[in-house]
Structures are given as structure tokens and as C-alpha cells.
Amino acid sequence: MTWCLAHLIRILIGCIGEAAINGKEIPGCLPTPSVRLSAPFPEKRQRKANMTGPYPSESARTKAVFPLSSGLSRGGWSAQLVSNKDNVLTISISSPANAPIGWYTLSTQISSQGNDFVQKLGTFILLFNPWVQEDGVFMSNHAEREEYVQEDAGIIYVGSTNRIGMVGWNFGQFEEGILDICLSILDHSLNFRRDPATDVARRSDPKYVGRVLSAMVNGNDDNGVISGNWSGSYTGGRDPRNWNGSVEILKEWKRSGFRPVRYGQCWVFAGTLNTVLRSFGIPSRVVTNFNSAHDTDRNLSVDVYYDAYGRPMDKGSDSVWNFHVWNEGWFVRTDLGPSYGGWQVLDATPQERSQGVFQCGPASVTAVREGDVNLDFDMPFVFAEVNADRITWIHDARNNTQKQNSTDARSIGRYISTKAVGSNSRMDITEKYKYPEGSSQERQVFEKALGKLKPRMAFGATSARHLEREGREPSISGKFKVTGILEVGKEVNMALILKNLTSDMKTVTVNMTAWTIVYNGTLVHEVWKDSVTISLDPEEEIQHPVKITYAQYEKYLKADNMIRTTAVCQVSDEAEVVVERDIILDNPSLTLEVLDQARVQQPVNVQMLFSNPLDEPVKDCVLMVEGSGLLLGSLRIDVPTLRPKERSRVRFEILPTRSGTKQLLADFSCNKFPAIKAMLSIDVAE
């Protein structure tokens, strides 16, 4: 007896949606999966049985027994005889659109001469199907399906509001072995270990699967995939900036015996979750929120503290991240109603516990926009990430008190970004999450949300807060301006611009500091400070220079290349004016060049170019390269030490395995530059 079902399904997964997945055949690359039985069994006496999970049950829809019939039925499992030739039966299997996803065992039960024989035929995988209208993940737009299900590489946006950057990411959902690993994530979840029968039965629901994955991609509770680290020290693991994609992470998780891989930060969690969602057939995308609030007490505000000398303080549990990355999955919300379907926020970065576990979502993007924070799941936290008010406090160490300095209702949740469909350009989706900042609708939604969370603070609470601020308008204004080139290895040149807003003379005492930071606001080290007293004539504007040398910051700069400059400006008997700016220093460029026409199964040479811009050697240089359809796994190249100003040229070979436009990703690291990124789109011919 022979069978080919599992083999065909694995190929079908490679061209998902061009074949039969979860209930309907779509014309395309392969026919409906079939089972071939090389034995003269009477087909009229055959029945098929599908089972998934450790405790299959017909009542839980994890087991189905169905006869071999002349046609495929809709709505349930069925088997159709396609041909009976030379004692070989070719049988098509059809599944219901709401069947649980995962591994299935297929058996045939044959009745002959009063005896029943059961023969296991093999296993196959069932996935969600965004091509079928009956499926909860159905996406009608062809171009969006191509992008959000089939695209195996992408772009993740990073940086800050005044310097948005991007990194390439290899999702690699079709790479060998990745789907098996993704399915094993479900089988390692707390839900599966507590009640495997119920867990498997609920895998028909993308909402449930997405929530489980948001918990399992981080390793905080359940030996999930990735261990997070925002300390700036990554001993015992890999700097999160060095990853090029999900494939190596998922393989390392399996190779280690399913122990969390060290280390990840938000874009690593999001990139990996995106791989798993797409591998299951759930349309998904990676989303970046700039100036993202982390509100720990559900009051829709984040508190930021400074001391009188201008030093930012690690006080309180709230924070504002320069950027935060999460995922959106596309599916219906049968629990909330049709208006809340579509894009749903899923966040695998471990920030706050939800129902006792570090998980977040799915939260309907539509519900976020409308302030419906009472709905499932984790709506208050997600709403605050894009809408919270930022409150600045000045801490007085002498008597251990703090006073409120200012409130900013517009700075949180800026430039919410994702990769555009069919191109590498940035698409701004801020309007999907909230009404325009400063509009009456935006404030109404904010007060609606606050009223649902804190009824006593409902109507007028934010208005009172704004009136308090307006009642003590400062007499001066300040801002930092960049006056030179921002590059690692160079001096940082800025200016503090102070302006007298009154017709009176003002004397300003200014305390300034600069700290290297991690992108989520974690303070690393103070690298510069200065105090000055400045006299301002009526309505005068002056520029005070700020210079931070490479020697001051080089030992403390992390892979984010971020420095936070702060000034606390005090006019006698007035409230302080706090001025802050985060700057990002550019790495030297890393260039990739393909030297030949790329063709399937033909080696092609690629060249990497890098010049050491420093007046000192760089050593411990490593180049890591990967790209789905271009390399099997990743390529590591040790690069010799580079003398001051020396140019390096490294050639390596790739072997394309699939045609089309493919993305090659590179990470160059050394003792002075922890993570320099490059990506190259390569058109591969047949």
C-alpha cells in the first residue's frame, strides 16, 4: 500500500492558496491531494478517518469518519473517488473550512466478508485558507494576500520620529522544516500542557491561535521561542540587532531542545511571530509605532521623571519607547461582531501579564480607534500605546517629592508604519488607530476610553489637565537642533535654542545631560553634562553649542546608536522647561553587489564592501548573510581585522533555489560597530 497525501500537502504549503487547504480547491499549481491504494479493495466498502491531537473526538471535531462517495460535500469532511485503475484508487479529500489546523492522521477502514480492517495511510497538515470566503481568515484582495501570506521577506521600521529607519527581515515561512517547528510551538504551549484535547479543538479559531502564539513566541512563562533582553548587555546570547530573520531563531529553538533563544527585542519577537502566522495561512504584517507608551496602571497616561540637573530618572514603571513593533493578523471576531473584524493587534513582546501570562491580543484595530477599551483582548494597554498622555515630572531629591511639569497629549503614537503592499516603501497607517491628533473626535474617543476604565475621571478630566497646564505658560521656549553630521566615530554637534517669549529680561539656569540609551528608554550611561546661566533680552533667541566627543560616548554606545540629550531650564519663580531630544548616529555603509545574473540552481557571486571610517583598527569582524530562496540556512564569514580607514572587499557565493525577486540580508559586526545592516533585492531567473 502506498500513499502520497503528506508529500503533496507539504508541496501545497509551499504554494499556499494555489491548492486545496481547509476546504476548497483553488486552480493552480497542484491538484487536490489524493491517496493512492495499490490493492484491489472494493471502494464502496471503504470509510476514511481523520484524527488530530492526542485525544481525537468527533464531538470536539478533532476526529471525523466519512464514507468514500461519488462527490465532495460542502461543510464537512468528505472523500471522492477520482479514479480506479490497475488496482490503484485515487481519492480526493475535502475538509470543512472550520476544521482545527495542524497535523492529521488519515486512515482507511475497509469492510470485507464481515471483517473490518483499519490501515493508517499517513499524515498531512491542514492550515487556514485566506482564499476561501468561508474561512475566518479570508482576505478578498489578491495583492494583499500575496503580500501578507506569500511574501517570505519584508521590512521592519525602527528609529525615532525624526529619523525613521528600516531593517530587512527574512520571514522564511516556506523554508525546509519551518512549518513543523511552528506547529510544535502550539504543542509546547501552557494551554496544550494543561488540557491538550480542548486546546487542539480550539485551533480552528484564528483568534485563539493568535493569542496562544503571542504568549509562546516569548519565553517568559512557557519555554517559548525567544528570551527578551533590554539591558544593553547580551553576554550568553546574541545581540538582538544581529538577527537577520526568523529561520535561524526557530531552528535554534528546536536544536536546543525547545529552550528560549537568547536574545530578542520587539522587532525580533514581531518578525518571528509574523513567520508563524503566515506559515499557518493567517494574513499578517509587522507594524511599528513610534513614541510608543508603556502604561502599566491603566490610567491612559505615562509618567516621565527628571531631576533638577536634567538627568532622566528610572523612576516608576511607565515608559515611552522610541519605537515599538507588534503584529497585525487578519481574521473575523465572532466574539465581538462583524464591525470589529479585519486587522487585529498581536504582540509577542513580553511587557505586561494578561490573564496571568505574558501575552497580548488580539485587539481589534477598529476597537482601538473607537476607544472600546472594554472589549477583549488587552484593549486598555494597546489603546494607551498609541493614545496615552505623556506627563513630565521634576523630582526634588532634597525632600523626595516631585511636581508635575507639563502634559503632552499629542506626542504618543506617531507615524504608525508598515511595509506597503508590493513595494519596499513605508505605509503610514496611523489613521487606522486613531483620529487626527488635536481633533475633537480624538479627544472624545480618549475621554470615552478613560470613562470606561476610570468612570470618576471621565468627562472633562483631560480638559482640566490641559487648563492646569495653560494656566502657567512658560516665559521661555527651548529645543535642541542638530548642527553637524550624526555618524558613529564623529563628534556630536548640537545647539540648545532658547527663546524669550516675553518683553522682559530673563535669566535662565540650564542643566544639561546626555545619556546613551536602549531604544525602549533604558538608560545605559551618562556621557556628558554641562550647566550654564544664560541672560535673554526681551524676545531674544540664542543658540548654546553642545559638543559630545567620540571618546566620551564610544564605550557606552549600544547597537541602537541612540543618545538622549536633556536640558532643564529654570527661570526664577517659574516652572522649569524640560527640553529633550533623542539622536541616532549613522553607521558606516555596508554595500552588497551581485556580480552575475542570478538563475535558479546556478551559483552566483555576491560582493560585500565596507570601509573602516575610524582612526583605529576594527577587529572581531563577522559577516552573517541569509535569504530565503538564495541560501540554505545562513552563511557566516570571518573578516580579517581592518586597519584605520581600510576598505574591505569580501566575495561569497549563493545558490538560488527559487525564481522571482528575493531579498538577501547581511549583518556586519565588529568590536566598534555591533550591527551594521544591508539588504539587496535580487531578481532570480528560471
Side-chain angles (χ1 to χ4, degrees):
M1 182 174 292
T2 61
W3 61 274
C4 66
L5 181 58
H7 175 67
L8 281 176
I9 284 288
R10 296 307 300 277
I11 298 173
L12 293 176
I13 290 161
C15 54
I16 188 170
E18 297 293 330
I21 302 175
N22 244 9
K24 183 174 181 180
E25 179 181 358
I26 308 297
C29 59
L30 285 173
T32 305
S34 60
V35 180
R36 303 174 191 274
L37 309 173
S38 52
F41 296 128
E43 66 267 15
K44 290 185 179 180
R45 298 181 183 178
Q46 287 193 49
R47 302 176 77 200
K48 304 299 172 197
N50 278 329
M51 294 177 286
T52 185
Y55 305 106
S57 160
E58 290 187 69
S59 61
R61 294 185 296 110
T62 54
K63 178 181 179 181
V65 180
F66 45 95
L68 182 62
S69 60
S70 58
L72 296 176
S73 65
R74 295 186 61 84
W77 288 95
S78 61
Q80 177 187 18
L81 178 65
V82 176
S83 68
N84 183 355
K85 185 178 181 182
D86 299 328
N87 292 331
V88 175
L89 299 181
T90 301
I91 300 168
S92 291
I93 307 292
S94 175
S95 71
N98 61 350
I101 66 162
W103 280 103
Y104 280 76
T105 299
L106 179 66
S107 302
T108 185
Q109 182 178 318
I110 302 160
S111 299
S112 179
Q113 298 177 348
N115 296 313
D116 291 337
F117 303 92
V118 176
Q119 176 67 51
K120 177 182 174 181
L121 301 176
T123 57
F124 66 92
I125 296 170
L126 200 67
L127 302 177
F128 294 108
N129 188 352
W131 280 260
V132 171
Q133 191 166 4
E134 293 82 1
D135 201 302
V137 302
F138 172 66
M139 178 172 269
S140 61
N141 186 286
H142 171 76
E144 292 181 350
R145 282 198 309 264
E146 290 293 306
E147 179 71 43
Y148 299 134
V149 182
Q150 303 242 65
E151 189 59 60
D152 59 5
I155 287 171
I156 301 175
Y157 294 95
V158 296
S160 64
T161 55
N162 51 26
R163 205 171 182 83
I164 295 176
M166 65 182 189
V167 295
W169 194 265
N170 179 32
F171 300 125
Q173 68 267 33
F174 302 130
E175 293 299 288
E176 184 69 29
I178 292 301
L179 179 59
D180 290 350
I181 297 172
C182 292
L183 288 168
S184 71
I185 292 174
L186 297 177
D187 290 343
H188 282 81
S189 72
L190 290 175
N191 291 20
F192 181 81
R193 283 182 274 166
R194 290 167 178 162
D195 187 351
T198 300
D199 173 73
V200 171
R202 296 186 69 184
R203 293 180 187 177
S204 61
D205 182 359
K207 170 179 86 278
Y208 175 79
V209 171
R211 186 158 175 80
V212 169
L213 292 176
S214 78
M216 278 301 299
V217 168
N218 72 70
N220 284 47
D221 309 289
D222 37 33
N223 283 327
V225 180
I226 303 164
S227 177
N229 185 341
W230 287 265
S231 69
S233 175
Y234 309 110
T235 304
R238 188 184 293 194
D239 187 322
R241 290 274 178 177
N242 292 141
W243 297 110
N244 284 321
S246 314
V247 175
E248 292 305 304
I249 294 171
L250 291 166
K251 288 183 175 179
E252 174 60 28
W253 182 63
K254 180 182 179 182
R255 192 162 47 238
S256 70
F258 304 107
R259 289 193 296 270
V261 177
R262 301 178 178 176
Y263 291 106
Q265 291 173 357
C266 67
W267 69 92
V268 181
F269 292 106
T272 304
L273 178 55
N274 212 58
T275 296
V276 184
L277 291 168
R278 288 187 184 181
S279 75
F280 288 171
I282 300 176
S284 61
R285 61 189 185 184
V286 179
V287 172
T288 303
N289 178 39
F290 291 94
N291 284 357
S292 189
H294 183 160
D295 174 24
T296 59
D297 49 12
R298 293 167 58 99
N299 66 352
L300 302 188
S301 66
V302 287
D303 300 307
V304 182
Y305 296 87
Y306 300 89
D307 69 13
Y309 298 98
R311 290 187 290 253
M313 301 183 68
D314 188 11
K315 180 179 174 62
S317 53
D318 288 350
S319 58
V320 178
W321 297 27
N322 274 273
F323 67 91
H324 179 47
V325 186
W326 58 67
N327 300 84
E328 289 177 357
W330 177 273
F331 44 86
V332 298
R333 290 299 299 269
T334 53
D335 57 326
L336 303 182
S339 62
Y340 295 103
W343 290 117
Q344 312 289 323
V345 172
L346 293 164
D347 192 346
T349 300
Q351 297 180 89
E352 297 294 322
R353 293 187 184 274
S354 172
Q355 297 176 326
V357 177
F358 282 100
Q359 59 188 346
C360 184
S364 165
V365 173
T366 299
V368 172
R369 189 172 196 257
E370 299 303 328
D372 295 323
V373 295
N374 56 308
L375 302 179
D376 288 338
F377 293 88
D378 308 305
M379 281 291 301
F381 186 79
V382 177
F383 182 87
E385 286 183 305
V386 300
N387 281 296
D389 285 353
R390 174 185 170 126
I391 304 177
T392 301
W393 300 81
I394 301 294
H395 180 76
D396 189 339
R398 292 170 299 181
N399 52 20
N400 196 30
T401 61
Q402 53 264 338
K403 59 181 177 179
Q404 182 175 326
N405 175 263
S406 63
T407 300
D408 185 350
R410 298 193 182 191
S411 65
I412 298 297
R414 304 285 303 280
Y415 306 115
I416 303 175
S417 304
T418 191
K419 177 187 174 297
V421 173
S423 78
N424 284 345
S425 58
R426 184 181 71 89
M427 181 167 66
D428 193 300
I429 57 172
T430 308
E431 85 285 352
K432 302 294 184 184
Y433 281 83
K434 58 185 183 178
Y435 291 98
E437 287 289 1
S439 68
S440 59
Q441 286 174 305
E442 186 268 338
R443 282 292 99 182
Q444 288 167 7
V445 167
F446 185 92
E447 293 191 359
K448 170 187 174 182
L450 194 61
K452 289 177 180 289
L453 295 174
K454 309 275 187 181
R456 293 181 182 178
M457 296 174 61
F459 181 74
T462 54
S463 301
R465 188 183 292 165
H466 294 165
L467 285 172
E468 178 188 2
R469 178 187 59 182
E470 292 168 3
R472 47 187 175 89
E473 286 294 328
S475 62
I476 61 167
S477 67
K479 64 179 180 179
F480 281 111
K481 176 184 177 183
V482 175
T483 58
I485 297 172
L486 296 176
E487 290 181 359
V488 177
K490 301 282 179 63
E491 181 178 81
V492 174
N493 286 287
M494 305 174 67
L496 174 63
I497 301 176
L498 292 177
K499 183 174 183 178
N500 185 350
L501 302 176
T502 73
S503 56
D504 300 319
M505 184 118 175
K506 295 293 178 182
T507 300
V508 188
T509 302
V510 183
N511 294 315
M512 294 176 285
T513 64
W515 289 68
T516 53
I517 62 170
V518 181
Y519 78 98
N520 71 335
T522 299
L523 302 173
V524 178
H525 200 277
E526 187 179 60
V527 296
W528 173 87
K529 63 181 178 180
D530 190 19
S531 294
V532 294
T533 300
I534 298 171
S535 295
L536 292 173
D537 290 331
E539 299 183 358
E540 181 186 12
E541 179 177 288
I542 64 102
Q543 294 192 20
H544 179 77
V546 173
K547 296 183 185 296
I548 309 170
T549 66
Y550 178 52
Q552 288 174 302
Y553 70 76
E554 69 161 316
K555 292 181 181 179
Y556 308 109
L557 194 68
K558 297 303 174 183
D560 303 278
N561 291 353
M562 287 186 178
I563 298 176
R564 172 167 293 171
T565 54
T566 307
V568 174
C569 310
Q570 175 79 63
V571 176
S572 179
D573 297 326
E574 293 185 17
E576 300 92 336
V577 172
V578 179
V579 183
E580 181 183 272
R581 177 156 182 177
D582 292 346
I583 60 170
I584 301 176
L585 307 184
D586 288 337
N587 281 320
S589 62
L590 183 72
T591 304
L592 297 174
E593 299 175 346
V594 61
L595 303 179
D596 311 292
Q597 168 65 55
R599 296 186 182 279
V600 173
Q601 297 299 340
Q602 292 185 15
V604 60
N605 288 307
V606 178
Q607 180 171 264
M608 181 276 288
L609 301 173
F610 174 75
S611 293
N612 175 16
L614 303 180
D615 294 323
E616 57 184 309
V618 295
K619 55 186 179 180
D620 305 325
C621 305
V622 176
L623 179 68
M624 296 292 295
V625 183
E626 71 177 84
S628 290
L630 298 172
L631 285 164
L632 293 177
S634 63
L635 180 65
R636 176 191 168 106
I637 301 170
D638 292 317
V639 180
T641 296
L642 293 173
R643 297 186 301 273
K645 309 299 184 182
E646 182 181 1
R647 181 183 175 91
S648 175
R649 187 189 305 266
V650 176
R651 289 191 179 186
F652 55 92
E653 192 175 83
I654 61 174
L655 182 65
T657 54
R658 298 197 298 272
S659 62
T661 301
K662 302 300 173 186
Q663 189 165 282
L664 187 69
L665 298 163
D667 174 83
F668 179 83
S669 61
C670 60
N671 66 321
K672 296 295 181 182
F673 301 102
I676 303 177
K677 296 293 190 182
M679 64 180 181
L680 177 66
S681 293
I682 299 178
D683 293 322
V684 181
E686 288 288 352

